[in-house]
Amino acid sequence: MKLTKQFFQQEDVVMIAQSLLGTLLYSRIGGFYCCGLVTETEAYDGINDKASHAYGGKLTARTRVMYEPGGISYVYFTYGMHSLFNVVTGKPGNPQAVLIRAIYPIEGIKDMQERRKKVLPFNRFTNGPAKLTQALGIDLSHNAIDLEGDTIWFEAVIEPDTYDIRRGARIGVGYAGEDATLPYRFWMIDPEAVMDRNRDIIKQNLNQSQSSSI
DNA sequence: TACACGATTTACT
DNA sequence: GTAAATCGTGTAT
C-alpha cells in the first residue's frame, strides 16, 4: 500500500500532513533498509504562507522543486549541517510541502544508530527533522526524487483509529509573523502504544516491502 | 565575489 | 537556561 502520486497531488496540504501521521517511512540508502513510523509533520502552504520557502512565489534553485507536481522529495540544507526532508504535494505551480519532523524507529535500528553519532534512548534518536534524515541516510543528493520509487517511500498500513492526534503551531517559524501561529503541525500521542497495537500489520508490511523493493 | 542567516541539534553553565 | 557548530542558499555588491 505504497502512497502514490494520486495521494500526494491532493490539493489540501494540511490534510495531507495530518494523513501522513501513522504511515511508515522507508529508506533504502547505502545498502541499509530502514523504516520508521511517522509521528510528527508540518504543512507549508505555498505562496500565501509566510513560513514557506516559496512565500510570495519565490522561485530559486532551491525552491524550484516545490513547484513540481506532488509526489517527489524536497530536501534542503540548513544551519550548516542539517538536511531536512519534505514531501512536495499538490498540483504543478502550487509550491506546497510537508516537513517530516519525527519518526519512531522500527527497522534497521542498528544501522540508524550507527549513522547517528549521538547515543540516545530508543524513542529519542529519530524525534527531530534533522535526526531522522541522518538516521535514514537522507541528504541533499536525495532532493527531487520520486517517492513512488524504491529509495524513499511511504506505506499506509495503520488505521487512523489506532492513534490519537494533537495539532498546534509549527516549530522554528517565528520569522513568519501571524502565520507562525497557524495550527499546521500534527503529532501522534504515545507512539510506543501505537506500535504495540499495530505490531502484526507493521511486521507484515516490513516483509512485503523488503522483498518487493530489492 | 561577499556576507548574513537558517522549517536544528548538541554541549555546556 | 544559553551558545556553538558549520555551510548551502539567497540577496546584495
Side-chain angles (χ1 to χ4, degrees):
Chain A
M1 302 170 68
K2 184 180 285 190
L3 294 185
T4 63
K5 295 202 187 313
Q6 183 178 337
F7 172 83
F8 293 117
Q9 290 176 9
Q10 296 174 93
E11 299 208 28
D12 187 347
V13 65
V14 178
M15 183 277 291
I16 293 176
Q18 178 170 336
S19 299
L20 282 171
L21 281 186
T23 62
L24 303 184
L25 174 58
Y26 284 87
S27 74
R28 184 180 292 286
I29 292 169
F32 293 156
Y33 175 65
C34 299
C35 174
L37 176 71
V38 176
T39 58
E40 185 179 349
T41 62
E42 283 178 355
Y44 287 83
D45 191 10
I47 65 174
N48 296 314
D49 179 359
K50 290 180 179 173
S52 169
H53 291 161
Y55 173 63
K58 187 158 76 174
L59 179 59
T60 65
R62 180 176 69 157
T63 65
R64 185 193 58 75
V65 65
M66 296 180 74
Y67 292 79
E68 298 287 318
I72 61 176
S73 64
Y74 168 45
V75 181
Y76 72 93
F77 189 78
T78 191
Y79 290 108
M81 64 195 87
H82 300 308
S83 299
L84 272 55
F85 171 68
N86 298 252
V87 177
V88 174
T89 75
K91 299 202 184 312
N94 189 359
Q96 300 167 318
V98 175
L99 172 68
I100 307 302
R101 286 196 59 88
I103 63 174
Y104 188 89
I106 297 176
E107 180 70 19
I109 290 164
K110 195 174 176 183
D111 299 328
M112 290 195 281
Q113 285 175 325
E114 190 173 304
R115 285 186 175 122
R116 299 267 298 121
K117 291 166 187 168
K118 177 77 179 158
V119 176
L120 287 171
F122 187 72
N123 59 344
R124 298 216 181 128
F125 80 98
T126 56
N127 64 334
K131 293 182 185 180
L132 71 89
T133 54
Q134 188 182 16
L136 293 174
I138 298 171
D139 58 34
L140 271 184
S141 71
H142 303 101
N143 187 37
I145 68 168
D146 187 346
L147 297 176
E148 284 187 29
D150 58 3
T151 304
I152 304 169
W153 70 99
F154 292 87
E155 301 263 352
V157 298
I158 292 177
E159 295 297 329
D161 64 3
T162 64
Y163 57 88
D164 291 322
I165 288 175
R166 295 292 155 82
R167 176 173 188 174
R170 293 170 291 186
I171 302 292
V173 295
Y175 58 86
E178 70 269 23
D179 286 354
T181 62
L182 289 171
Y184 285 180
R185 172 175 168 246
F186 298 91
W187 67 97
M188 174 187 290
I189 300 300
D190 201 353
E192 297 192 43
V194 177
M195 288 296 302
D196 285 340
R197 285 185 209 114
N198 294 279
R199 196 160 299 284
D200 291 344
I201 195 167
I202 288 173
K203 189 154 206 162
Q204 187 180 346
N205 189 262
L206 286 170
N207 294 332
Q208 287 176 357
S209 293
Q210 181 162 34
S211 57
S212 65
S213 67
I214 288 177

